[in-house]
Amino acid sequence: VIQSSSATTVMVVGFVNSGLMTLRQSISVIMGANVGTTVTAWLLSLGDIDGTSVLVRLLKPTSFTPILAVIGIVLRMFCKDQAKRHIGDILLGFAVLMYGMSAMSGAVAPLKDSAAFINLLTRFSNPLLGVLVGTVFTCILQSASAAVGILQALAITGTITFSVAFPITLGIAIGAAVPVLLSSLGASVKGKRTAYVYLLIDVIGALVWGVVFYVVNAAVHFPFMDMTMTTVTIALLNTVFRFATVLLLTPMIPMLERLVTVLFPGKAASGALADM
């Protein structure tokens, strides 16, 4: 609904910090947020749907984004109920995101004829460099959804291959933890543990699936490494990676809880605090 795993996790950090949730409960919600954040990429990929029917045209972001923007403006300006005003803010933010992605797609289209741009992208097929670029880029943007959207915009130029998109997608997942870590600076030990669980989930997922993929590729040489990516295939790659990470780590929730507890040990209560 809010198009951001980071924003969802920041709220969860607050809930754990205030005692409304336990650390173990928060890990499950964070994993769900990691899957939910992939919805934005699928919505952006609707622009590539071919067809002339009314239904197909309505599914395109260029058609429904103005409608959402108008609804958001009305709720934001004319409703006194705070909940409705917040819904208006959400719709306006979503409309701005969609408009920005559409504008960027048109702006980067001429880059497909630039030899320098193509040579630059081919360097990102190096796994370590690709992960680093994806991480740093997402750290700057503070949003995994926006980073994946920009990768989709670049894919429209026809210069993004699977070998480039895969490591960048892994890096985007890691970089998304930065706003969550920043939100935990003033939190309690439990809040810090929750924030670092988010980082651990993404780092472990990127490390495990990255190593598995490249080891297997070295043995069998996947034929799709040079496949040109589209907005749909990037959305699919992002979803499969996030979902695979959740499947891998869900049985390990107790282990993740113990790991962050070791990393951030709590101070033993004493005196009046212990009595309370």
Side-chain angles (χ1 to χ4, degrees):
V1 173
I2 62 176
Q3 306 289 317
S4 174
S5 60
S6 300
T8 302
T9 306
V10 167
M11 288 191 290
V12 171
V13 170
F15 295 152
V16 174
N17 193 52
S18 60
L20 294 176
M21 290 180 69
T22 65
L23 177 59
R24 183 169 296 193
Q25 289 171 335
S26 71
I27 296 174
S28 303
V29 178
I30 290 170
M31 288 183 177
N34 266 337
V35 175
T37 192
T38 63
V39 171
T40 306
W42 285 107
L43 292 174
L44 292 172
S45 68
L46 292 175
D48 284 352
I49 297 177
D50 295 324
T52 57
S53 66
V54 176
L55 179 59
V56 170
R57 288 200 299 270
L58 287 176
L59 286 175
K60 291 180 178 291
T62 51
S63 298
F64 64 76
T65 296
I67 299 173
L68 295 180
V70 170
I71 296 174
I73 290 171
V74 171
L75 292 176
R76 186 70 181 83
M77 296 184 65
F78 302 108
C79 290
K80 295 182 179 179
D81 182 59
Q82 199 65 26
K84 292 180 181 178
R85 290 170 66 89
H86 287 323
I87 293 174
D89 288 337
I90 292 173
L91 293 178
L92 278 173
F94 180 73
V96 170
L97 173 65
M98 287 298 176
Y99 175 77
M101 291 297 107
S102 298
M104 193 181 314
S105 300
V108 301
L111 291 176
K112 64 183 178 182
D113 299 321
S114 172
F117 176 71
I118 295 173
N119 291 334
L120 177 64
L121 286 180
T122 55
R123 298 179 185 179
F124 297 155
S125 58
N126 179 300
L128 294 178
L129 182 59
V131 171
L132 179 62
V133 168
T135 301
V136 173
F137 194 56
T138 311
C139 288
I140 295 171
L141 291 178
Q142 302 282 303
S143 172
S145 298
V148 173
I150 290 174
L151 187 61
Q152 288 178 296
L154 293 175
I156 295 176
T157 65
T159 56
I160 302 292
T161 62
F162 185 90
S163 62
V164 172
F166 181 69
I168 291 179
T169 302
L170 300 185
I172 287 173
I174 298 173
V178 171
V180 180
L181 298 179
L182 292 175
S183 73
S184 69
L185 291 178
S188 64
V189 174
K190 291 182 179 179
K192 286 183 170 61
R193 289 172 180 170
T194 306
Y196 276 87
V197 160
Y198 184 85
L199 177 63
L200 280 174
I201 289 171
D202 291 334
V203 170
I204 292 173
L207 186 62
V208 170
W209 296 122
V211 170
V212 168
F213 178 84
Y214 286 108
V215 167
V216 175
N217 180 57
V220 302
H221 301 291
F222 293 125
F224 52 78
M225 293 296 287
D226 294 325
M227 177 185 71
T228 301
M229 300 294 282
T230 64
T231 56
V232 175
T233 53
I234 287 178
L236 179 62
L237 170 64
N238 188 42
T239 301
V240 169
F241 162 63
R242 302 276 188 157
F243 192 70
T245 300
V246 169
L247 287 180
L248 172 71
L249 295 179
T250 297
M252 304 180 187
I253 288 178
M255 189 184 303
L256 289 171
E257 183 184 24
R258 288 194 297 271
L259 180 57
V260 292
T261 303
V262 171
L263 292 175
F264 293 93
K267 295 181 180 179
S270 60
L273 181 59
D275 293 338
M276 184 174 67

